[in-house]
Amino acid sequence: MDKTYKLTNEKNDPSLKYFSENPISDWSFAGYKASFNKAKARPVNAAKIKNTYLSLLERIQQLNIDPTLELEHSRDEESDEEDKIPSDLSIHHHPYRTCEYTLAFTDEEKEEEGEGEGDEADFENTSDESKWMLDGVSISDLCFDLKNTTLKLIKYTDPAQLSNIRLLALNDTYIFDRDSTSSVSKYFPTKVHTMLKPTLSFDTYHPTRGLNCYDWCMDIEVSPPADWTSSLTLCTQSLVKACGSKNLLDMHTAQVLTQILPVLINGPPDDSNEDSFVHYYLSLLLSSVFASDPLLKMKWVNGQLIKNNSAAFKPDFLVYDISDSVKCVILIAEFKPTEQNSYVESDLVKLSKQMKDTLNKLVIKGVTKPRICGIHCEGENVHTYVMDLPSPKLYRIINASKIKLFKNLDQMSFLPNKGAASETATKIETASLYSYSKLKRPAPNPPVSWLSSENVTLSRIPKKQKK
């Protein structure tokens, strides 16, 4: 090809201006980036520019122009970035996903029964009586509208740029948060988000306020014990006082302090890998909370939870109830010692999928209106979630709490419920007792027709499949 060739831009497309003003021999990512940022007040992230640049090159190739060398060079740079840059999983976009991605759609029920009508037909068939309504507003319709617009969006947008909220919507899961920027309600009118907040019971499962625990933590933060012996003495006194008061939060706090304070007295331990991180901090908190309920059992797994046609899940921690010799999972947790996610789906998306599949199993077992709990911990940030099914094909996941995990004596006042887990465990026991006496399972409530088995997975295209 003539190296002086310039792209013919008959429609004056501004996105092709660089390629029409410069000869093909001068085309380069560096040159395009400089041209792209020329009129910008602040430079745009290089990874975002690269996605645009690669898309335009592929578009130009379709016009029988062949800048092969430059495109292959860009792919090599892309692979290098893939190995070096961790994914920035923000709520709005994922600017460092610079590889090629695809969305895989699977539905176990449709695969078993044959393809049926699409999701839009399912939404249309949802009766008004079963919709989630609030002051005359159909929250169900607003959620389904978001899913439908996302399905249209992915036809024209790189799936790597989808936010967690939209990826979850494709899986019939909708996250709600007090903060609208982290909630599916960011796509609703502001007045709807305002109406939703008091109805979602964000504080329903918070424990009864402690009598002394906060003061204990503040006192330790301001005036820590001098040595290991004095720390044990202080914790023992707190534990005796907490047991005397019968205040649940005081007792949990005192128990955790008894185990963690003697360790922190000489400085924070090395928690650079996941096993150490869990051992020193998370196991103490979770064991205290969930070991106190006779219906609940714990398991540190990192083994397979659920396997279906599309995914095999390996959570880090489970809480379950053994009913009728069958393990019924109630809580699932994912941990990371640092705020760093995978290049594909975030831990929040993976956690939500596991919660959804687990909720489906409990409904099928006849557990009445179950709720599944989730814990997501990245670095010092701990989020707890509760999932239920208020309407057909609408899995509502509520961000119930956000706390900072204490990791040294200066943060003891950050000490952090098992309410939803205990409630669901009691419902599991009730369903089992019914089965024993009636020799059949209770009728599912909500009905099985409300369940969704659709799974949409974001995956990276293997290099050997790239064109």
Side-chain angles (χ1 to χ4, degrees):
M1 173 174 285
D2 182 2
K3 292 185 177 182
T4 64
Y5 171 85
K6 296 181 180 180
L7 181 68
T8 302
N9 190 6
E10 296 178 351
K11 296 183 180 180
N12 292 320
D13 186 342
S15 66
L16 298 175
K17 184 178 179 180
Y18 170 81
F19 303 96
S20 62
E21 292 183 346
N22 295 280
I24 191 170
S25 59
D26 292 340
W27 292 1
S28 68
F29 172 68
Y32 178 79
K33 182 172 70 171
S35 174
F36 189 96
N37 282 321
K38 188 175 182 180
K40 307 291 184 185
R42 297 178 60 186
V44 178
N45 183 281
K48 293 180 67 175
I49 299 175
K50 175 162 285 186
N51 283 338
T52 304
Y53 179 65
L54 294 175
S55 297
L56 290 173
L57 286 179
E58 291 172 351
R59 180 177 162 191
I60 292 170
Q61 280 186 314
Q62 294 174 3
L63 300 174
N64 295 322
I65 310 300
D66 189 22
T68 307
L69 293 176
E70 177 56 36
L71 183 58
E72 290 180 350
H73 175 67
S74 299
R75 293 292 185 210
D76 292 338
E77 289 183 4
E78 176 185 345
S79 299
D80 292 340
E81 286 193 15
E82 171 188 336
D83 296 331
K84 294 188 290 186
I85 303 177
S87 180
D88 176 15
L89 296 169
S90 69
I91 196 67
H92 299 295
H93 59 283
H94 303 264
Y96 296 124
R97 287 179 179 163
T98 57
C99 299
E100 293 183 43
Y101 290 83
T102 186
L103 289 171
F105 290 76
T106 58
D107 190 320
E108 292 180 0
E109 290 181 356
K110 289 181 180 179
E111 288 175 359
E112 294 173 0
E113 300 173 5
E115 291 296 328
E117 297 182 2
D119 288 314
E120 293 189 24
D122 292 338
F123 300 155
E124 292 172 0
N125 292 331
T126 300
S127 66
D128 290 339
E129 293 79 10
S130 59
K131 287 182 178 180
W132 176 16
M133 303 292 296
L134 180 61
D135 292 342
V137 177
S138 174
I139 307 301
S140 297
D141 287 345
L142 291 173
C143 290
F144 298 153
D145 285 346
L146 175 65
K147 179 176 181 179
N148 284 330
T149 56
T150 303
L151 287 169
K152 294 175 182 177
L153 181 66
I154 60 178
K155 296 178 181 179
Y156 312 103
T157 305
D158 181 359
Q161 297 302 313
L162 290 179
S163 67
N164 286 337
I165 293 176
R166 288 191 179 274
L167 280 173
L168 289 174
L170 292 176
N171 286 276
D172 298 318
T173 302
Y174 303 89
I175 187 167
F176 291 86
D177 195 296
R178 292 181 182 88
D179 180 2
S180 63
T181 62
S182 302
S183 174
V184 68
S185 54
K186 67 182 285 185
Y187 297 104
F188 305 165
T190 302
K191 66 177 183 179
V192 175
H193 174 74
T194 304
M195 287 193 304
L196 277 167
K197 285 198 293 185
T199 69
L200 294 176
S201 303
F202 291 105
D203 301 324
T204 297
Y205 300 108
H206 288 188
T208 304
R209 185 179 295 274
L211 299 176
N212 301 290
C213 57
Y214 184 74
D215 290 338
W216 293 336
C217 294
M218 288 299 298
D219 290 344
I220 293 171
E221 187 173 320
V222 173
S223 180
D227 53 32
W228 184 78
T229 303
S230 59
S231 68
L232 281 179
T233 302
L234 177 63
C235 292
T236 302
Q237 293 171 350
S238 299
L239 187 58
V240 171
K241 188 173 182 177
C243 292
S245 71
K246 305 296 183 183
N247 181 273
L248 194 60
L249 190 55
D250 280 4
M251 288 191 287
H252 285 312
T253 303
Q255 182 183 3
V256 172
L257 285 175
T258 302
Q259 298 178 75
I260 193 65
L261 187 57
V263 175
L264 294 178
I265 200 68
N266 294 317
D270 181 5
D271 62 353
S272 55
N273 64 65
E274 186 171 320
D275 289 342
S276 297
F277 175 70
V278 168
H279 172 73
Y280 284 120
Y281 302 112
L282 296 172
S283 64
L284 306 179
L285 292 169
L286 298 173
S287 297
S288 175
V289 172
F290 294 107
S292 62
D293 192 317
L295 291 177
L296 303 179
K297 307 294 181 184
M298 298 179 297
K299 185 175 183 180
W300 297 93
V301 281
N302 217 357
Q304 188 166 295
L305 170 65
I306 298 169
K307 186 175 182 180
N308 53 35
N309 293 337
S310 56
F313 296 120
K314 296 182 178 181
D316 295 314
F317 175 77
L318 295 176
V319 174
Y320 61 93
D321 173 276
I322 295 183
S323 180
D324 193 22
S325 301
V326 176
K327 181 188 296 183
C328 296
V329 176
I330 299 168
L331 180 145
I332 305 166
E334 291 283 353
F335 309 129
K336 285 288 184 297
T338 58
E339 295 183 44
Q340 180 174 334
N341 288 274
S342 69
Y343 284 99
V344 193
E345 292 184 337
S346 70
D347 279 354
L348 174 58
V349 172
K350 295 175 184 176
L351 175 65
S352 300
K353 288 183 175 182
Q354 295 174 76
M355 294 172 69
K356 173 187 171 184
D357 283 348
T358 303
L359 182 63
N360 284 351
K361 285 192 170 186
L362 292 184
V363 170
I364 292 171
K365 291 179 183 295
V367 179
T368 302
K369 296 181 179 179
R371 288 184 171 93
I372 299 298
C373 303
I375 300 176
H376 180 216
C377 180
E378 284 185 352
E380 298 176 358
N381 298 307
V382 183
H383 295 245
T384 61
Y385 298 93
V386 179
M387 176 183 281
D388 63 357
L389 190 64
S391 178
K393 315 293 184 183
L394 196 160
Y395 294 78
R396 175 175 60 189
I397 180 169
I398 299 171
N399 190 343
S401 68
K402 307 174 188 179
I403 64 169
K404 286 283 187 179
L405 184 67
F406 65 91
K407 300 180 76 173
N408 56 59
L409 291 182
D410 294 335
Q411 300 172 333
M412 292 305 292
S413 57
F414 291 159
L415 263 175
N417 176 4
K418 65 178 179 183
S422 296
E423 176 187 297
T424 300
T426 301
K427 291 179 177 179
I428 292 171
E429 184 179 50
T430 301
S432 297
L433 293 174
Y434 179 94
S435 300
Y436 296 153
S437 61
K438 304 294 185 181
L439 299 181
K440 63 178 182 180
R441 287 178 176 170
N445 181 14
V448 174
S449 61
W450 283 30
L451 304 182
S452 165
S453 59
E454 185 170 356
N455 182 64
V456 180
T457 304
L458 178 69
S459 58
R460 191 166 53 194
I461 298 176
K463 294 179 182 178
K464 63 181 181 181
Q465 293 183 13
K466 294 181 182 179
K467 295 182 180 180

